[in-house]
Amino acid sequence: MKKKRLYKFNTLRNQILFVFLSVMIVVLCFVGIMTFHLVSTLLKNNAEKQIEQTAMHANGRLEALYQQIDALTNQVATNMYVQQLLLKIANGYSPGFREKQELMHIVNSFQAYSDAIHSFELYTNNYKKIFPLDGEDLGNRVGIKWIKQASEAKGKMVWVGRDPKAPGYFLALRQIRLMERWFSSGGYLLVRINQDYFQFNDYFYSPGEKKGYIILTDSNSNVLFSNYHGKFRQLVNTKQAMIRKEGQEYLVVKQLSELTGWTLVIITPVKFLTEGVSILKNAIILSGTIGFCIFLTFSFSLSTMITQPILRLTRIMQRGRNGELRTSPPISSTVEINELNETYNALVENIKHLIQVVYEKELVRSRAELKALQAQINPHFLFNTLDALYWSLVEKDEEELSQFVLNMSQLFRYIISSSKNDEWVTLREEIEHIRRYMEIMKLRWGDRLIWDIVVPARCLDVRIPKLLIQPLVENAVLHGVGNKMEQGFVLVTVEESDHSPDLMIKVIDDGVGMDEKTLQKIEQLLNKKEFSTFKGSGMAIANVNRRLQLYYGEDRKVAIKSELGKGTCISLKIPKSGGFDDSFSDDFDC
């Protein structure tokens, strides 16, 4: 039951539609996947490049801030008053309160140039604090390690890190070198820097949304800034560009500053980099759906346009089941459909013609049987009478007349027999019938008639329709030799060829012949393909020709060659197999 339901949908239109849609789905999926993959990869790459540019910009900003602090501390270290005071202290001078107050005024004036610097601290070469006035030792303040690094830096600023006394601030240390004493060490300048000076929230924060993380570490891996809440060491030390943490992918971009030695790490969730991918995905799905609907509409219309003429032709063919053969009207469609329609119309015409041929054949057979029945008015009485006459003549030693009566009796039996089994006879039987007929005609015409029959022995068993040759022989005797005053000759030959499947039968006479006008009339009768009422020699030829076509095919035809005063040759071809055959040539050699 299920197969029957599916069979209803197994139409040509549905198959074409299914193939079109399958191909379209494959193409749309392939193009959509490729487009999504390429565009998403392009978006990620562009986002990664943008983040790298952001990291470079942020690193440049850090270096600018660092250089600003370095410049201010250098100005303080090279200030003339600071240089003169430290030179005096290096020579053993002990500054007074007024000098320290003046020093504090000068240093604070530099502090106003930058929001980064919270305060300055000035120490002597032996680590004693000059400013501010709290008397703390530099070694206790930052440690001997940083003092040693500042001394080795020879006047360059050394980044210390977070202030151990105030974690909210950073410290930087610079050795002050005395320009008037061959740049020898004259003391140390300690700078306290505000932590907020190195903020980067404006880079990765938008109102109400956090798009990434940033971690800034100095050369000692101490954190200067971080908005990442978690263990950052793994992120800073990783060499991978992509990491997965807590079920989410992150893009890691590092930027190392050659000036400061600081490392800037930018960590961005991949989902923020591919925000446009979801829009792209929805756009591809929407466009694919719209394209599929458009293609479905056109595919349905195209498949219907292709199959509609075929369906119309199929409905016309189905009427043939009920015996209603009708030609299909011209279809405005493709060349193939038009060719199919024309072929069907030609087939219908051929079938109608064959039906007509079969009908005519049956009609001819019925007429022949009717005529035979009409001629058989008590045939047994006729046969018995002829037999009685024959024996009576035999008893009287009338051999010639008795032979004549015997031939007449056998001739009538051959002609009058109406059995359906006797419709086809062998060539031997037909030739024997012709021989009896010629003997009877010989008795009538005497020496005026000379006749002969030449048939190969191996052809005698070929089956042919009864009375196919005899009417032509009769025509040659009556209308050929009979209309001639002097002696005439009739020849019946059967010829075969190894290169042809047909037997050539010829009936030749040297009678009066026919003129061109008579030949044209007979040719017209032969082309009409119907039994004629034409009187004379043409009637027998036309009827034999029509029977030849009914039995062996419409391509068969009786060939006539005649010349007035010289005679006539009538020839026809039958297959050696004795059955129907369509191959026939009009070329006769008489």
Side-chain angles (χ1 to χ4, degrees), residues 2 10 74 256 474 517:
K2 187 176 181 181
N10 189 23
N74 187 47
L256 177 64
E474 181 181 355
K517 184 177 181 180

Side-chain angles (χ1 to χ4, degrees), residues 12 43 60 127 139 269 339 418 438 493 530 548:
L12 179 60
L43 288 176
Y127 313 148
E339 183 68 23
S418 61
M438 296 301 287
T493 64
E530 60 184 17
L548 182 69

Side-chain angles (χ1 to χ4, degrees), residues 109-316:
S109 65
F110 283 102
Q111 183 179 347
Y113 288 106
S114 175
D115 296 335
I117 299 176
H118 178 265
S119 63
F120 289 102
E121 296 179 11
L122 189 62
Y123 294 86
T124 63
N125 200 31
N126 56 1
Y127 313 148
K128 299 298 183 180
K129 182 183 287 189
I130 301 175
F131 171 80
L133 305 176
D134 55 6
E136 186 178 11
D137 186 81
L138 181 60
N140 296 330
R141 183 74 174 88
V142 295
I144 299 299
K145 179 182 72 170
W146 295 110
I147 298 174
K148 184 177 180 180
Q149 289 185 13
S151 300
E152 293 175 353
K154 297 180 179 181
K156 294 181 180 180
M157 189 176 69
V158 175
W159 185 266
V160 177
R162 290 193 178 274
D163 188 349
K165 292 186 177 180
Y169 297 94
F170 298 106
L171 297 178
L173 182 63
R174 177 189 289 274
Q175 185 185 44
I176 300 176
R177 302 179 69 84
L178 300 176
M179 294 182 290
E180 296 182 1
R181 197 176 179 182
W182 303 285
F183 292 96
S184 60
S185 177
Y188 296 92
L189 178 64
L190 183 67
V191 184
R192 177 184 285 183
I193 303 168
N194 293 321
Q195 178 177 335
D196 296 338
Y197 190 60
F198 301 108
Q199 295 295 315
F200 293 93
N201 289 335
D202 55 337
Y203 278 83
F204 290 94
Y205 282 88
S206 60
E209 187 177 18
K210 185 176 183 180
K211 294 186 177 180
Y213 305 96
I214 187 169
I215 301 173
L216 177 63
T217 60
D218 58 16
S219 56
N220 298 314
S221 299
N222 296 318
V223 177
L224 303 179
F225 173 81
S226 175
N227 61 355
Y228 179 77
H229 304 287
K231 297 181 179 180
F232 64 89
R233 297 292 180 185
Q234 181 182 2
L235 301 177
V236 174
N237 297 329
T238 184
K239 296 182 179 180
Q240 299 178 359
M242 284 284 185
I243 62 172
R244 178 174 289 274
K245 191 173 183 65
E246 297 178 357
Q248 188 173 357
E249 278 190 324
Y250 292 88
L251 175 66
V252 179
V253 177
K254 293 183 180 180
Q255 190 72 31
L256 177 64
S257 174
E258 296 181 357
L259 176 64
T260 62
W262 296 351
T263 301
L264 180 67
V265 181
I266 297 178
I267 306 163
T268 309
V270 175
K271 66 178 182 179
F272 291 113
L273 302 179
T274 57
E275 286 179 333
V277 175
S278 59
I279 300 176
L280 173 65
K281 181 180 179 181
N282 295 332
I284 291 176
I285 294 175
L286 179 61
S287 60
T289 303
I290 295 175
F292 178 80
C293 294
I294 295 174
F295 189 80
L296 174 62
T297 303
F298 281 98
S299 298
F300 184 81
S301 302
L302 179 61
S303 60
T304 302
M305 183 177 65
I306 293 174
T307 58
Q308 190 64 33
I310 300 177
L311 291 176
R312 188 198 309 175
L313 185 59
T314 302
R315 286 193 292 268
I316 295 175

Side-chain angles (χ1 to χ4, degrees), residues 553-564:
E554 295 295 333
D555 293 335
R556 302 281 175 172
K557 186 178 181 182
V558 172
I560 306 173
K561 288 187 178 181
S562 182
E563 189 174 350
L564 192 63

Side-chain angles (χ1 to χ4, degrees), residues 56-70 197-198 200 255-262:
M56 292 177 62
H57 183 269
N59 199 38
R61 175 184 174 185
L62 284 174
E63 291 179 349
L65 297 175
Y66 186 88
Q67 288 175 346
Q68 183 181 10
I69 297 173
D70 181 68
Y197 190 60
F198 301 108
F200 293 93
Q255 190 72 31
L256 177 64
S257 174
E258 296 181 357
L259 176 64
T260 62
W262 296 351

Side-chain angles (χ1 to χ4, degrees), residues 100-113:
K100 292 183 178 181
Q101 285 292 104
E102 181 67 20
L103 179 63
M104 182 178 65
H105 177 72
I106 293 172
V107 172
N108 288 336
S109 65
F110 283 102
Q111 183 179 347
Y113 288 106

